[in-house]
Amino acid sequence: MNKIEKKRINDLYKISSCLTNLKIHHVIFDGALLGFIREKNLIKWDWDAEISMRYSEYKENLIKIIETIDKLQIGSIKLNNSYENPKLTINQNDFKYTLQPFHYSKDKKIIFRKLYKYPAKYLDEISKFKINDYVFPIPKNPEDLLELEYGKNWRIPLKSTDKDEYLNSQVYTRKNNKLFIKIFKFSE
């Protein structure tokens, strides 16, 4: 692991620790999880690391989250405070960390945000994953999630920035946006 990779893992750990200290349930998700499981590191050519959490905890603690992460001085903070696609991004020169809150369906079986939907168990049920001396919360049965998200060939690296090429349509699709709108209108 080179110096840049060590710094990225260290910064991700600092962010995760802040959330843990604030008692916010969270997991390493998406491409960051793929890197952890497949490469025992973040993916070298990836541009971000994702941390998922519950929207209710995110909303309730947003000011504390921003203040705590700002004290880390690891990057500039950008907030998208929309209901359908909330996220907090910590930007560095060539990399970013994204906190992505998920909403729950009425029956609590699905988590969703604009364009994305997953079984809720991947956010609710966690296990631990160790890289170097750092321990991170990850979804229980991460291989099942990665197969759902990236398909049966998730172990084969695919260098692409086109989500339609590497994400499974069960998880990421324009249709999910229509589902979100229906659920959002129903919940109002």
Side-chain angles (χ1 to χ4, degrees), residues 15-26:
I15 295 166
S16 179
S17 294
C18 285
L19 297 172
T20 299
N21 290 339
L22 291 170
K23 297 184 179 11
I24 297 172
H25 178 90
H26 65 284

Side-chain angles (χ1 to χ4, degrees), residues 20-38:
T20 299
N21 290 339
L22 291 170
K23 297 184 179 11
I24 297 172
H25 178 90
H26 65 284
V27 292
I28 305 302
F29 219 69
D30 294 336
L33 178 65
L34 177 63
F36 276 21
I37 302 302
R38 187 177 71 200

Side-chain angles (χ1 to χ4, degrees), residues 78-139:
K78 182 180 176 189
L79 175 66
N80 176 346
N81 208 21
S82 69
Y83 181 82
E84 65 276 351
N85 195 34
K87 59 183 159 184
L88 185 82
T89 308
I90 301 105
N91 293 299
Q92 297 177 332
N93 293 336
D94 59 349
F95 197 76
K96 64 183 178 180
Y97 303 88
T98 304
L99 306 184
Q100 50 187 27
F102 278 90
H103 302 281
Y104 281 82
S105 62
K106 198 164 187 91
D107 65 5
K108 306 284 189 213
K109 292 182 180 179
I110 300 291
I111 55 169
F112 63 93
R113 48 187 286 110
K114 188 175 183 180
L115 302 180
Y116 298 89
K117 68 174 181 173
Y118 300 90
K121 67 181 180 180
Y122 294 119
L123 181 58
D124 294 339
E125 300 171 11
I126 67 168
S127 59
K128 300 291 182 180
F129 190 83
K130 188 174 182 179
I131 291 184
N132 296 342
D133 293 327
Y134 305 124
V135 177
F136 293 93
I138 65 168

Side-chain angles (χ1 to χ4, degrees), residues 50-65:
E50 303 86 353
I51 301 173
S52 293
M53 62 187 59
R54 298 171 178 141
Y55 178 78
S56 59
E57 292 180 0
Y58 170 83
K59 183 180 175 187
E60 184 179 314
N61 294 287
L62 184 56
I63 299 300
K64 290 178 192 171
I65 294 169

Side-chain angles (χ1 to χ4, degrees), residues 38-52:
R38 187 177 71 200
E39 301 175 23
K40 309 299 183 247
N41 197 353
L42 293 171
I43 298 171
K44 289 178 180 23
W45 61 84
D46 203 354
W47 58 90
D48 67 345
E50 303 86 353
I51 301 173
S52 293

Side-chain angles (χ1 to χ4, degrees), residues 8 51 72 81 103 115 153 164 179:
R8 287 178 178 170
I51 301 173
L72 298 175
N81 208 21
H103 302 281
L115 302 180
N153 294 326
D164 288 319
L179 170 71

